Amino acid sequence: MAERCYDNSRWSSYWDLLPDIDELGDMPVFWDQEDLQPLRNTPMAEKLSGKWPMTGCHVEHPTQVEELFDTLVKPFCSKGHVLEWEHRTKQQQRCLYLWATAVVSAYSFTLGEDKFQAMVPLWDMLNHVTGQCNVRLHHSSKQEALQMITTKPIKQGDEIINNYGPCSDSELLRRFGFIEHQPNPHNGCEIPCAMLVARCQEHMHPSGGKQTSSDAAHSSSNKVFLQKKVQFIQKHGLVPSDGWFKADVLGQPQDEMIEVVRLLLLTPAEFTAFEKQVDRWQCPLARPLTQMTSICHQVPHIIRAVATERLAALAEPCTANDQASNEHMNGFRRTAAQQVLLIERRALLGLQLWLDKHDSTSLINCSKKVWMHLR
């Protein structure tokens, strides 16, 4: 933002190459509340607003858009870091912020072992088409070099196609402002880990009625133990880096989601025993972790309940406001919103069916595979 406003910026020619707000308008950060209304309660909208945060997890930008503008951007810019910030109208300030957010989200690269974000002129112009990538990014911090290396022969005149990562249409829309025109193998539904934690907590320790001082102390102890479980699952890499579990287009969930719910539902005694078992299993020459022989019947119940809750939120009857919103949206936004909603609904229904078809033996095998992989 500061460099964009500085007339003598050394990067002026680069800024001129980047798209302006009108060209970035299909990115959801520029959609108004009316446009976003049909997508309420979808992972795309929830990530955009920063709902369901998970400590230690990082959702790729754009996220917490409104909160960051108020708590970070405005205080920073007000200290004089952005030229003539105070002389800009609120609308101009917001537009500049949204432009910078969209550009960093859609055009930056994550580089180095410390995963820093960097703008990379020229290479950031490469498009993404799932399954058709013909180059790979190579970053050498020692040589201070960034290279795009071909992975297959490219004929003269053919497009050089990059890979933005294993992104669903929902993520491609949120982060880059487009969706695939062909079947995307990365499509499916997403379940926030924070939501699973909350529902497991409610199931294990339902609240209701007046609390005595003894009840309050017991509740506090439960929260502390729950936090211990969360720290355990994060320590062992069971939570996705962004805090959201996936299920594919047919509804098959990640094995880690099943194991996380199983661990969250363990009693203190069961969890402590399992924690000790894992510690022994990690020692050199220890026998593989194979002592899991049963799984709580509440595991599929919790996952199914969360899937049902999220599906019901998506399946709310189309209101007059929704109809007006659909008429207000441009062609691309309407098509993209309908596609994202359809994929999410189908995958959530598929997840429910998957749970109905798999018994406790299948689920315990999913949990075992998690630890076999980690080993």
Side-chain angles (χ1 to χ4, degrees):
M1 290 171 63
E3 290 287 341
R4 177 65 185 266
C5 296
Y6 184 47
D7 292 337
N8 296 322
S9 169
R10 63 182 295 193
W11 307 111
S12 294
S13 58
Y14 175 52
W15 304 138
D16 292 338
L17 289 174
L18 293 173
D20 57 25
I21 287 180
D22 291 337
E23 296 171 290
L24 292 167
D26 285 334
M27 292 188 66
V29 292
F30 295 106
W31 298 15
D32 56 31
Q33 289 304 312
E34 203 171 359
D35 286 341
L36 288 171
Q37 182 68 9
L39 287 169
R40 63 192 182 280
N41 304 318
T42 62
M44 194 216 75
E46 290 177 337
K47 290 181 182 182
L48 205 60
S49 66
K51 190 177 182 180
W52 301 114
M54 187 77 182
T55 302
C57 296
H58 170 72
V59 174
E60 293 284 353
H61 287 293
T63 185
Q64 299 175 285
V65 176
E66 300 300 331
E67 180 183 344
L68 291 176
F69 182 57
D70 291 329
T71 61
L72 181 64
V73 174
K74 288 200 290 189
F76 175 83
C77 294
S78 297
K79 294 179 181 179
H81 296 298
V82 174
L83 192 65
E84 298 185 345
W85 175 260
E86 298 295 345
H87 295 119
R88 299 174 187 272
T89 65
K90 291 183 179 180
Q91 180 64 20
Q92 289 173 332
Q93 292 176 352
R94 180 174 172 77
C95 284
L96 178 61
Y97 162 67
L98 291 179
W99 173 84
T101 299
V103 164
V104 170
S105 172
Y107 286 84
S108 67
F109 286 72
T110 302
L111 306 175
E113 295 181 358
D114 53 351
K115 303 297 183 182
F116 64 89
Q117 281 186 289
M119 304 299 291
V120 185
L122 184 62
W123 291 131
D124 58 15
M125 295 182 180
L126 300 184
N127 289 324
H128 164 102
V129 181
T130 300
Q132 297 186 29
C133 175
N134 51 24
V135 294
R136 65 178 177 84
L137 179 68
H138 175 69
H139 175 243
S140 173
S141 56
K142 292 183 178 180
Q143 298 179 1
E144 297 184 347
L146 184 66
Q147 299 171 308
M148 278 291 182
I149 301 174
T150 59
T151 57
K152 60 182 70 172
I154 303 176
K155 297 179 181 179
Q156 184 175 354
D158 285 355
E159 182 178 4
I160 300 175
I161 301 174
N162 193 12
N163 181 6
Y164 297 174
C167 297
S168 65
D169 283 352
S170 176
E171 279 294 273
L172 290 174
L173 179 62
R174 181 179 70 88
R175 294 168 55 188
F176 307 104
F178 71 92
I179 55 175
E180 295 280 21
H181 297 294
Q182 57 192 14
N184 186 342
H186 305 300
N187 279 338
C189 63
E190 296 185 76
I191 305 290
C193 184
M195 188 176 187
L196 292 172
V197 172
R199 298 302 177 262
C200 287
Q201 171 73 354
E202 292 167 4
H203 175 78
M204 296 284 286
H205 310 288
S207 59
K210 294 183 178 180
Q211 278 194 335
T212 64
S213 57
S214 176
D215 291 334
H218 185 63
S219 176
S220 177
S221 174
N222 290 335
K223 289 180 180 178
V224 170
F225 197 76
L226 177 67
Q227 186 58 38
K228 182 179 180 181
K229 288 181 177 179
V230 171
Q231 291 173 350
F232 176 85
I233 63 179
Q234 289 186 316
K235 172 186 174 182
H236 292 284
L238 303 184
V239 181
S241 60
D242 64 354
W244 289 72
F245 289 107
K246 277 78 174 174
D248 65 22
V249 288
L250 299 178
Q252 181 168 346
Q254 289 177 269
D255 295 333
E256 288 81 0
M257 177 161 65
I258 295 169
E259 176 59 359
V260 162
V261 174
R262 185 190 77 84
L263 291 171
L264 291 172
L265 292 176
L266 293 179
T267 65
E270 291 170 335
F271 178 76
T272 300
F274 183 78
E275 190 177 25
K276 291 179 179 178
Q277 185 183 357
V278 171
D279 288 340
R280 289 196 301 270
W281 170 72
Q282 289 186 323
C283 294
L285 304 180
R287 296 180 63 187
L289 185 67
T290 58
Q291 297 179 23
M292 289 186 288
T293 57
S294 63
I295 193 166
C296 175
H297 70 281
Q298 293 297 337
V299 170
H301 170 76
I302 292 291
I303 298 175
R304 184 183 293 105
V306 170
T308 301
E309 180 181 344
R310 294 189 66 81
L311 184 61
L314 293 179
E316 292 173 353
C318 185
T319 64
N321 287 337
D322 289 337
Q323 293 174 357
S325 177
N326 284 333
E327 293 174 1
H328 164 78
M329 296 168 75
N330 67 32
F332 169 79
R333 295 183 184 184
R334 186 185 305 111
T335 300
Q338 290 173 349
Q339 182 162 319
V340 167
L341 276 171
L342 180 62
I343 292 168
E344 190 73 16
R345 283 196 184 102
R346 285 178 174 174
L348 284 170
L349 284 170
L351 175 57
Q352 292 176 323
L353 292 173
W354 188 93
L355 291 167
D356 291 338
K357 293 178 180 178
H358 289 76
D359 57 17
S360 59
T361 301
S362 299
L363 296 181
I364 200 66
N365 286 335
C366 291
S367 288
K368 286 182 177 181
K369 281 193 291 183
V370 169
W371 294 103
M372 289 170 62
H373 174 71
L374 292 175
R375 185 62 171 169

